[in-house]
Amino acid sequence: MATTRLLSDAEVEKIPDVKAVFDDIRATRKSDFVNNFWRGLANDPVSLKRVWEQLKVVMVADSAIDPLTKEMIYIAVSTANGCSYCVHSHTAAARAKGMTDAQHGELVSIIGLAGQTNHLVTAMQIPVDPQFEVR
Amino acid sequence: MATTRLLSDAEVEKIPDVKAVFDDIRATRKSDFVNNFWRGLANDPVSLKRVWEQLKVVMVADSAIDPLTKEMIYIAVSTANGCSYCVHSHTAAARAKGMTDAQHGELVSIIGLAGQTNHLVTAMQIPVDPQFEVR
Amino acid sequence: MATTRLLSDAEVEKIPDVKAVFDDIRATRKSDFVNNFWRGLANDPVSLKRVWEQLKVVMVADSAIDPLTKEMIYIAVSTANGCSYCVHSHTAAARAKGMTDAQHGELVSIIGLAGQTNHLVTAMQIPVDPQFEVR
Amino acid sequence: MATTRLLSDAEVEKIPDVKAVFDDIRATRKSDFVNNFWRGLANDPVSLKRVWEQLKVVMVADSAIDPLTKEMIYIAVSTANGCSYCVHSHTAAARAKGMTDAQHGELVSIIGLAGQTNHLVTAMQIPVDPQFEVR
Amino acid sequence: MATTRLLSDAEVEKIPDVKAVFDDIRATRKSDFVNNFWRGLANDPVSLKRVWEQLKVVMVADSAIDPLTKEMIYIAVSTANGCSYCVHSHTAAARAKGMTDAQHGELVSIIGLAGQTNHLVTAMQIPVDPQFEVR
Amino acid sequence: MATTRLLSDAEVEKIPDVKAVFDDIRATRKSDFVNNFWRGLANDPVSLKRVWEQLKVVMVADSAIDPLTKEMIYIAVSTANGCSYCVHSHTAAARAKGMTDAQHGELVSIIGLAGQTNHLVTAMQIPVDPQFEVR
């Protein structure tokens, strides 16, 4: 259960600013499905528009990192932050963009290994080597 | 300052099990530099060997995810976990593997955006859409 | 499902130290409802009393921060810590203390933005400006 | 040390898109001081502009939550995320907006108490009470 | 719902490398029950073997820390990381190794107190005392 | 640098409520050294007393978990929360209570392994086995 209402399509129909964003989500993704995240955010039309515009620029636009890699990075952050919804939605997105089972298995392994060495480093409080400094 | 001693090369020289791992790190990386993480872990030779063997398999071996993407995933996890040392060391590793300034800028943006939507989702406690279910 | 039992009112009735705390919770909150958190903590009567006494001082007592702001701060910490139960219970508490939908929408936005800039800062490892030093 | 360069005013002067944002930061804040966060983000002018525009809307604009409360919420998130830079910069911002020592002391107490109950709830895995459901 | 399939015993039967690990889990634990974690990890037989071998060395082998204390440390980390599954599985493991209700109550209290002081320290950004330095 | 002042012994001398707590810390620990955490918390005498009283009950009092194990649990939570100060102070406390190098090495290994499996579980979103339910 959410801490805010999830707007149905019927409700969205009545709020032009929200309707416009939902239309753009559907057009951009070439799919009629709008997931719950946007239905919760729709309670605050200004925030909805701002987050969607950002996502379009960062995740959808042509860029120096390919779309599948972007989704794998998103899964990595979401896992470390313990965001169950985000792990689910971005794993689905990564599969839709072609992530194979072998790549998913490896992604999980890298995330697990990073989790391990992050904890080892913090437990030992290892000081940063001067060689890592940006000049 | 660390919570454990960082072993110098002179000390490592006297512990054959540690020496063997340090030699392999240098040979695998084709560099004489062994960073502080391994010098801290060297206090526990069994753990040192286990972590290094794992890292070789997951991060160095040929696989379904390319080496630069692996480092970017590692940076993503380390950032979300707030591991300063790990962010430094893996950003240096990613640059050594060819990460451009444009890619780093985008990586930072994706991590930032994921941080934002993770928090939005958790604050609203959005329930997982059934469409994300693995069948 | 919990990792410990949740005590029913019938069970609480038989443990005087727990009963006294439950009575005080009901009297302080002017409500018969005692939520699951206290029913779990009731397995350890000393801890139950200590946590409740603390909550009364910090969250209920007259002070320099108003009660609604306190709940919003609590929601912010609970979100960043990924505590689903706590986000639910303190959002309900904030609404009971008068939080409007507009305030909730803004609170969610601030938490989201903080999540983003926290991640940007950590990914870039920005050093603290000397101007921020307390003198 | 950062994982990216921090741009000096002389460098910013040569990049019109970055210069425009820095000018707006100075005008909006009525201060010549531009802190390191923006100097790191300036490596990616598009991201710099997007994050600053967002911050202006969420943190600076007139709204349903007062400016000091916003900063206290920001400190709460930043603390739970362990972002040292962010705790420093937003504590300085909160003091500049009038946070008293008494309010800071209380804020610290609330954050500490939330940290405690978040951990207690997670250790006991308390299920959400149906009473907290949004209808 | 998981982001990967959980392998049934019938499926495991057909993959010799996975079957060998499951047999060893059953023999080591003297129980026919193999929990979901291993059924998810079984999608990647190399990772399954590596994680199980590690767990055997760290958690099962004779060592300087007793088995129950190890499980309590595991619960502590899992709680702070907000891993619901892990808190459940290791609390069950700790009880199976003899953890009493009194010990569980204390463990929960210590975790809660650490959560509180961790947050207090981070909110105040307390500098490390030189007396804590390892010489 | 802290976000609040650290009170010196000369300042503490002038605030009776703070002085009383500092005297009790020194008497309980049989040491003249009072670490920075208490000097920061001393800005809020009520909070100082409350946190110290709690710590005495949870960490110092006779109980079902031995003092060294308590410190190791504290280190585990502090590591997962990324609290550098807390890792330092409680590692020093654990050594003072007799933690050997072998025990520290194992503690670090367990924390690292838990960090790994926590991340693996969250990335795969493993559902809790019904066998782990408390009846």
Side-chain angles (χ1 to χ4, degrees), chain B residues 111-130:
Chain B
I111 292 172
L113 184 60
Q116 184 178 39
T117 60
N118 287 182
H119 280 69
L120 293 173
V121 161
T122 304
M124 294 189 291
Q125 290 289 308
I126 304 294
V128 178
D129 302 75

mmCIF file of all heavy atoms in Angstrom, chain B residues 111-130:
data_model
loop_
_atom_site.group_PDB
_atom_site.id
_atom_site.type_symbol
_atom_site.label_atom_id
_atom_site.label_comp_id
_atom_site.label_asym_id
_atom_site.label_seq_id
_atom_site.Cartn_x
_atom_site.Cartn_y
_atom_site.Cartn_z
ATOM 1 N N ILE B 111 23.442 8.110 -11.895
ATOM 2 C CA ILE B 111 23.479 7.782 -10.463
ATOM 3 C C ILE B 111 22.635 8.792 -9.675
ATOM 4 O O ILE B 111 21.879 8.424 -8.781
ATOM 5 C CB ILE B 111 24.942 7.767 -9.951
ATOM 6 C CG1 ILE B 111 25.714 6.590 -10.563
ATOM 7 C CG2 ILE B 111 24.987 7.714 -8.429
ATOM 8 C CD1 ILE B 111 27.222 6.592 -10.265
ATOM 9 N N GLY B 112 22.757 10.067 -10.030
ATOM 10 C CA GLY B 112 21.985 11.104 -9.343
ATOM 11 C C GLY B 112 20.484 10.933 -9.560
ATOM 12 O O GLY B 112 19.692 11.035 -8.617
ATOM 13 N N LEU B 113 20.110 10.638 -10.804
ATOM 14 C CA LEU B 113 18.690 10.466 -11.113
ATOM 15 C C LEU B 113 18.123 9.228 -10.400
ATOM 16 O O LEU B 113 17.011 9.254 -9.863
ATOM 17 C CB LEU B 113 18.495 10.335 -12.628
ATOM 18 C CG LEU B 113 17.051 10.239 -13.095
ATOM 19 C CD1 LEU B 113 16.252 11.470 -12.684
ATOM 20 C CD2 LEU B 113 17.008 10.063 -14.611
ATOM 21 N N ALA B 114 18.895 8.153 -10.396
ATOM 22 C CA ALA B 114 18.463 6.938 -9.696
ATOM 23 C C ALA B 114 18.303 7.242 -8.207
ATOM 24 O O ALA B 114 17.339 6.805 -7.569
ATOM 25 C CB ALA B 114 19.465 5.804 -9.922
ATOM 26 N N GLY B 115 19.244 8.000 -7.644
ATOM 27 C CA GLY B 115 19.135 8.395 -6.242
ATOM 28 C C GLY B 115 17.822 9.142 -6.008
ATOM 29 O O GLY B 115 17.123 8.911 -5.012
ATOM 30 N N GLN B 116 17.477 10.012 -6.932
ATOM 31 C CA GLN B 116 16.236 10.782 -6.783
ATOM 32 C C GLN B 116 14.990 9.889 -6.881
ATOM 33 O O GLN B 116 14.129 9.927 -5.993
ATOM 34 C CB GLN B 116 16.160 11.866 -7.857
ATOM 35 C CG GLN B 116 14.940 12.762 -7.691
ATOM 36 C CD GLN B 116 14.896 13.869 -8.737
ATOM 37 O OE1 GLN B 116 15.219 13.660 -9.898
ATOM 38 N NE2 GLN B 116 14.531 15.052 -8.309
ATOM 39 N N THR B 117 14.891 9.088 -7.938
ATOM 40 C CA THR B 117 13.663 8.291 -8.085
ATOM 41 C C THR B 117 13.581 7.206 -7.011
ATOM 42 O O THR B 117 12.482 6.884 -6.550
ATOM 43 C CB THR B 117 13.522 7.707 -9.508
ATOM 44 O OG1 THR B 117 14.626 6.858 -9.803
ATOM 45 C CG2 THR B 117 13.441 8.818 -10.548
ATOM 46 N N ASN B 118 14.712 6.671 -6.575
ATOM 47 C CA ASN B 118 14.691 5.728 -5.440
ATOM 48 C C ASN B 118 14.025 6.379 -4.227
ATOM 49 O O ASN B 118 13.193 5.770 -3.551
ATOM 50 C CB ASN B 118 16.111 5.302 -5.038
ATOM 51 C CG ASN B 118 16.820 4.341 -5.987
ATOM 52 O OD1 ASN B 118 17.938 3.916 -5.747
ATOM 53 N ND2 ASN B 118 16.197 3.992 -7.099
ATOM 54 N N HIS B 119 14.417 7.609 -3.938
ATOM 55 C CA HIS B 119 13.851 8.294 -2.770
ATOM 56 C C HIS B 119 12.375 8.638 -2.982
ATOM 57 O O HIS B 119 11.570 8.553 -2.048
ATOM 58 C CB HIS B 119 14.652 9.568 -2.461
ATOM 59 C CG HIS B 119 15.923 9.307 -1.712
ATOM 60 N ND1 HIS B 119 17.004 8.674 -2.277
ATOM 61 C CD2 HIS B 119 16.290 9.564 -0.423
ATOM 62 C CE1 HIS B 119 17.985 8.581 -1.381
ATOM 63 N NE2 HIS B 119 17.572 9.105 -0.252
ATOM 64 N N LEU B 120 12.003 9.047 -4.204
ATOM 65 C CA LEU B 120 10.599 9.368 -4.482
ATOM 66 C C LEU B 120 9.731 8.129 -4.288
ATOM 67 O O LEU B 120 8.655 8.184 -3.667
ATOM 68 C CB LEU B 120 10.448 9.891 -5.918
ATOM 69 C CG LEU B 120 11.094 11.250 -6.229
ATOM 70 C CD1 LEU B 120 11.021 11.549 -7.731
ATOM 71 C CD2 LEU B 120 10.404 12.375 -5.451
ATOM 72 N N VAL B 121 10.185 7.011 -4.832
ATOM 73 C CA VAL B 121 9.440 5.751 -4.730
ATOM 74 C C VAL B 121 9.269 5.336 -3.273
ATOM 75 O O VAL B 121 8.181 4.945 -2.840
ATOM 76 C CB VAL B 121 10.161 4.635 -5.530
ATOM 77 C CG1 VAL B 121 9.712 3.260 -5.074
ATOM 78 C CG2 VAL B 121 9.914 4.817 -7.025
ATOM 79 N N THR B 122 10.352 5.436 -2.509
ATOM 80 C CA THR B 122 10.294 5.001 -1.112
ATOM 81 C C THR B 122 9.424 5.945 -0.275
ATOM 82 O O THR B 122 8.679 5.495 0.601
ATOM 83 C CB THR B 122 11.712 4.893 -0.525
ATOM 84 O OG1 THR B 122 12.469 4.009 -1.355
ATOM 85 C CG2 THR B 122 11.688 4.334 0.889
ATOM 86 N N ALA B 123 9.495 7.224 -0.549
ATOM 87 C CA ALA B 123 8.661 8.180 0.200
ATOM 88 C C ALA B 123 7.183 7.935 -0.084
ATOM 89 O O ALA B 123 6.342 8.099 0.801
ATOM 90 C CB ALA B 123 9.044 9.616 -0.166
ATOM 91 N N MET B 124 6.875 7.541 -1.326
ATOM 92 C CA MET B 124 5.473 7.297 -1.680
ATOM 93 C C MET B 124 5.072 5.837 -1.482
ATOM 94 O O MET B 124 3.902 5.495 -1.562
ATOM 95 C CB MET B 124 5.218 7.728 -3.133
ATOM 96 C CG MET B 124 5.364 9.231 -3.360
ATOM 97 S SD MET B 124 4.814 9.739 -5.020
ATOM 98 C CE MET B 124 6.085 8.988 -6.058
ATOM 99 N N GLN B 125 6.058 4.969 -1.218
ATOM 100 C CA GLN B 125 5.794 3.527 -0.999
ATOM 101 C C GLN B 125 4.956 2.936 -2.155
ATOM 102 O O GLN B 125 3.925 2.279 -1.918
ATOM 103 C CB GLN B 125 5.096 3.313 0.348
ATOM 104 C CG GLN B 125 5.994 3.578 1.545
ATOM 105 C CD GLN B 125 7.059 2.499 1.703
ATOM 106 O OE1 GLN B 125 6.755 1.296 1.733
ATOM 107 N NE2 GLN B 125 8.314 2.895 1.771
ATOM 108 N N ILE B 126 5.451 3.155 -3.372
ATOM 109 C CA ILE B 126 4.759 2.681 -4.569
ATOM 110 C C ILE B 126 4.775 1.144 -4.633
ATOM 111 O O ILE B 126 5.834 0.538 -4.526
ATOM 112 C CB ILE B 126 5.467 3.229 -5.836
ATOM 113 C CG1 ILE B 126 5.563 4.757 -5.802
ATOM 114 C CG2 ILE B 126 4.777 2.735 -7.110
ATOM 115 C CD1 ILE B 126 4.247 5.469 -5.887
ATOM 116 N N PRO B 127 3.605 0.505 -4.809
ATOM 117 C CA PRO B 127 3.573 -0.966 -4.924
ATOM 118 C C PRO B 127 4.052 -1.423 -6.321
ATOM 119 O O PRO B 127 3.800 -0.738 -7.318
ATOM 120 C CB PRO B 127 2.097 -1.309 -4.728
ATOM 121 C CG PRO B 127 1.354 -0.072 -5.088
ATOM 122 C CD PRO B 127 2.256 1.100 -4.833
ATOM 123 N N VAL B 128 4.711 -2.573 -6.346
ATOM 124 C CA VAL B 128 5.255 -3.119 -7.595
ATOM 125 C C VAL B 128 4.114 -3.468 -8.562
ATOM 126 O O VAL B 128 3.153 -4.141 -8.179
ATOM 127 C CB VAL B 128 6.108 -4.377 -7.309
ATOM 128 C CG1 VAL B 128 6.637 -4.982 -8.618
ATOM 129 C CG2 VAL B 128 7.273 -4.015 -6.382
ATOM 130 N N ASP B 129 4.205 -3.015 -9.812
ATOM 131 C CA ASP B 129 3.212 -3.359 -10.832
ATOM 132 C C ASP B 129 3.313 -4.848 -11.151
ATOM 133 O O ASP B 129 4.430 -5.362 -11.312
ATOM 134 C CB ASP B 129 3.496 -2.592 -12.136
ATOM 135 C CG ASP B 129 3.500 -1.085 -11.942
ATOM 136 O OD1 ASP B 129 4.503 -0.564 -11.378
ATOM 137 O OD2 ASP B 129 2.521 -0.438 -12.327
ATOM 138 N N PRO B 130 2.168 -5.524 -11.291
ATOM 139 C CA PRO B 130 2.211 -6.967 -11.641
ATOM 140 C C PRO B 130 2.926 -7.218 -12.977
ATOM 141 O O PRO B 130 3.480 -8.295 -13.186
ATOM 142 C CB PRO B 130 0.737 -7.371 -11.715
ATOM 143 C CG PRO B 130 -0.069 -6.122 -11.516
ATOM 144 C CD PRO B 130 0.811 -5.041 -11.045
#
